[in-house]
Amino acid sequence: MLSEQQVLIVGGGHVGLSFALLLAHHGIASTLLEKNSYPTISPNDDQTRSHYLDSRNTALSRRTVQIYEEIGLWSELQSHACRIDAVQISEQGSFGRAQLNKEDEQVESFGQVMENAWLGRKLLLAAQEESLITIIDNANVTAVEQQKAGVTLRFNYYDTDEHEQELQASLLVACDGRDSTIRPLLNIGTTTYDYKQTAIVGVVQTDKPHEHVAIERFSPAGPLAVLPLTDPEGDGNDDYQKGYRRSVVWVCPTGEETQYLEDDAHFLQTLQKAFGQRAGTFVAAGRRGAYPLTRVLAKQQVDGRCVIMGNAAHTLHPVAGQGFNLCMRDAHVLAQMISAQVLKGADIGDPTLLKRYEKSRQTDQKRVIRFCDAVVHGFTHPNPAIKLARNVALIAFDKLPNIKPLIANYAMGLKS
C-alpha cells in the first residue's frame, strides 16, 4: 500500500494541477493521479513557441489571474499572456453593438489570453517541484470505496502487468473531465444537452494589430470570438508589441466542421465574411481542432467524502470563456474551506463541510450556466422580433449607466 495522503485528486489537467497547488499553498499534502503519461520537461527547456499559428488558448478572467497571483505562480505565467483591454460585441448583419473599455471600468484588464500548452507546462513544473504534491501518471482508477473515516481508491498502471494498488485519504476530489471515471464509480448521474454545434478552435494571423481588443461576434450559426495573443517572442503585455496573432473560436452547426478544418482558404474567407474588417484581413490560419459542444452537469457535486470538480462537475458552452474560470473559483473556495478545517484540527473530508461547499457554489454556478445558455439561444434564435429585441438590448447595454460595471465584474469573476 502506498503512503496515506490527506487529499486524493483524480485528473491532472489544468484544474487538477491548479487545485493541488492551491492546497500546497495552504500547506496541505495531496496525491494527484492522471490517466495520461506526462511529458518529460524541465525548467531549462526551450521556452519559445515552436509553432507560430498552432496552439489552443484559454481566456483567464481577472479573478483567475488573482488566484494565480495568490499562490505565487503568475510571475511564471505572464510572459505568454496577453491582456484584454477592450471587448467589442456585435451581431452579424445587425445594428446592435457595444464595447467595454478597461479605462471606463477602472481595471488593469478584463483578463488575459494564454496558450494552453504554456499554462499546462508551468502548472506541471510547479507541481513537480512541490514537495507536498505526489504525482502518479499513467494511472487507471478501478474502484472507489468510502468508509466512515476515509476514502480508499484502487488503481493500476496502463500498459503494465503490475498488480492493483491502493491509496487512502480523508478526501477525494475528481477533476477528471467531462467523461469522468469517478462519477459513475460513485453512481453520480448527469444531465446533458446537445447544442448541435461544433467549436472550431485555432490561431490565425491578421494584417491589423489586435491592440489587446477581444471581439465577440454573433452569427446565425452560433457565437464567434477572436481574442488577442502574444507575439512569437516576449511578453504580450508589453506596449511595444503590435500583436498580429489571434485565438479564434468559430462555432458552426455539427456536420459542417470538415470544410473549416481542411480548407484554410475557405476558413479564412468565412471568418472575413463574419467579422468584416473589425479584425483587419485574415491572412493565415494554423492547424485547427473541432470540439462538439454539449452541456454536461453532474446531478450532485458531493457524495460523502468525494467532491466532483471542474468539467466533471460542469462542462459548459465556450461562449464568453466562462468554463475554466468557474472551475478555478470552485477550486479556490474548496481549498480555503479545507485550510480552515486544518487550522481547527477538524476533519477535511467531513461530509457536512463538503455539502456546505456544494451549496456555497450554487449561486455562481447557476448564474454562469444560465448566462451561457441565454447568450447561445438568444443570439441564434431566428425570430425577427427576438433579433430586434437583442439588438436593442445591446445598444441599451452600451449606453445606459451602471449596467456595464455589473456585467464587467461578472465576466471578470469578481462577483460570484
Side-chain angles (χ1 to χ4, degrees):
M1 180 183 295
L2 297 176
S3 60
E4 182 175 339
Q5 298 285 341
Q6 286 185 291
V7 183
L8 296 176
I9 302 171
V10 178
H14 293 169
V15 176
L17 287 167
S18 296
F19 182 59
L21 290 165
L22 280 164
L23 292 177
H25 177 70
H26 291 290
I28 300 167
S30 65
T31 293
L32 184 147
L33 294 93
E34 164 59 30
K35 67 179 180 179
N36 297 306
S37 295
Y38 282 127
T40 301
I41 55 176
S42 77
N44 298 321
D45 286 345
D46 181 11
Q47 299 179 8
T48 61
R49 298 163 184 80
S50 57
H51 300 287
Y52 178 73
L53 293 176
D54 286 352
S55 60
R56 292 178 60 192
N57 306 275
T58 294
L60 307 179
S61 72
R62 184 66 200 135
R63 182 67 187 120
T64 297
V65 171
Q66 289 175 348
I67 291 171
Y68 284 131
E69 288 175 336
E70 182 181 309
I71 61 176
L73 195 58
W74 184 245
S75 61
E76 292 293 319
L77 294 173
Q78 64 181 350
S79 67
H80 282 46
C82 191
R83 293 188 328 266
I84 298 175
D85 290 347
V87 182
Q88 297 177 355
I89 309 165
S90 61
E91 181 175 4
Q92 185 179 354
S94 300
F95 59 87
R97 50 186 42 84
Q99 179 159 327
L100 290 166
N101 297 299
K102 70 173 186 178
E103 292 83 7
D104 296 337
E105 308 310 322
Q106 299 180 353
V107 294
E108 178 271 336
S109 71
F110 292 111
Q112 306 269 348
V113 186
M114 180 176 296
E115 292 163 284
N116 281 11
W118 180 255
L119 177 59
R121 177 184 186 275
K122 284 299 184 180
L123 291 174
L124 179 57
L125 277 172
Q128 288 174 338
E129 294 173 351
E130 174 55 65
S131 61
L132 289 172
I133 300 174
T134 301
I135 296 176
I136 302 173
D137 61 356
N138 201 34
N140 174 37
V141 176
T142 56
V144 174
E145 296 178 2
Q146 299 199 60
Q147 299 85 35
K148 184 177 180 180
V151 181
T152 300
L153 179 147
R154 294 186 177 87
F155 74 99
N156 53 40
Y157 292 98
Y158 285 105
D159 304 324
T160 70
D161 295 326
E162 291 189 33
H163 296 299
E164 189 174 64
Q165 301 193 50
E166 187 176 283
L167 285 168
Q168 294 180 335
S170 299
L171 167 66
L172 184 148
V173 180
C175 305
D176 53 344
R178 184 187 68 177
D179 302 319
S180 170
T181 298
I182 299 299
R183 271 196 328 249
L185 288 176
L186 296 173
N187 294 314
I188 295 176
T190 61
T191 58
T192 63
Y193 177 82
D194 187 352
Y195 292 100
K196 296 180 171 51
Q197 296 176 336
T198 295
I200 310 297
V201 179
V203 177
V204 297
Q205 181 180 347
T206 59
D207 69 346
K208 176 183 176 180
H210 57 61
E211 298 179 327
H212 299 278
V213 176
I215 304 174
E216 293 276 353
R217 184 85 161 145
F218 295 94
S219 79
L224 322 169
V226 290
L227 307 176
L229 284 176
T230 54
D231 283 344
E233 307 291 341
D235 189 340
N237 295 296
D238 289 346
D239 290 335
Y240 70 83
Q241 288 205 88
K242 296 290 186 181
Y244 295 90
R245 292 198 322 149
R246 304 183 193 231
S247 173
V248 172
V249 179
W250 167 268
V251 176
C252 68
T254 296
E256 297 182 6
E257 60 270 15
T258 301
Q259 61 183 316
Y260 301 119
L261 293 173
E262 297 180 352
D263 188 335
D264 285 4
H266 177 66
F267 181 61
L268 293 170
Q269 289 168 7
T270 306
L271 287 176
Q272 200 71 63
K273 182 178 179 181
F275 285 94
Q277 287 298 314
R278 287 168 180 79
T281 301
F282 292 86
V283 297
R287 182 178 57 197
R288 299 171 290 286
Y291 305 91
L293 300 179
T294 304
R295 184 185 66 220
V296 180
L297 305 177
K299 290 185 176 180
Q300 62 189 83
Q301 295 179 30
V302 169
D303 179 83
R305 292 176 170 273
C306 299
V307 176
I308 308 298
M309 184 182 285
N311 282 348
H314 37 68
T315 300
L316 308 181
H317 195 287
V319 65
Q322 291 295 306
F324 176 70
N325 297 298
L326 179 62
C327 296
M328 285 296 294
R329 296 199 292 277
D330 291 344
H332 186 259
V333 168
L334 183 56
Q336 287 185 316
M337 294 179 76
I338 293 172
S339 175
Q341 286 289 95
V342 171
L343 291 174
K344 293 188 298 184
D347 181 3
I348 65 171
D350 180 358
T352 303
L353 168 78
L354 302 182
K355 280 295 184 183
R356 194 163 75 245
Y357 155 77
E358 182 180 39
K359 184 177 180 180
S360 75
R361 296 300 302 143
Q362 287 180 353
T363 299
D364 190 17
Q365 292 174 2
K366 289 178 178 179
R367 173 184 57 79
V368 171
I369 292 165
R370 286 196 300 266
F371 171 75
C372 291
D373 281 354
V375 171
V376 172
H377 295 302
F379 276 92
T380 55
H381 201 292
N383 186 295
I386 294 178
K387 183 174 183 178
L388 175 62
R390 66 190 177 228
N391 278 272
V392 171
L394 268 180
I395 292 175
F397 168 72
D398 195 50
K399 302 299 183 184
L400 294 178
N402 302 323
I403 296 180
K404 281 186 179 181
L406 178 65
I407 299 298
N409 280 335
Y410 276 136
M412 291 185 288
L414 301 178
K415 291 285 183 69
S416 59

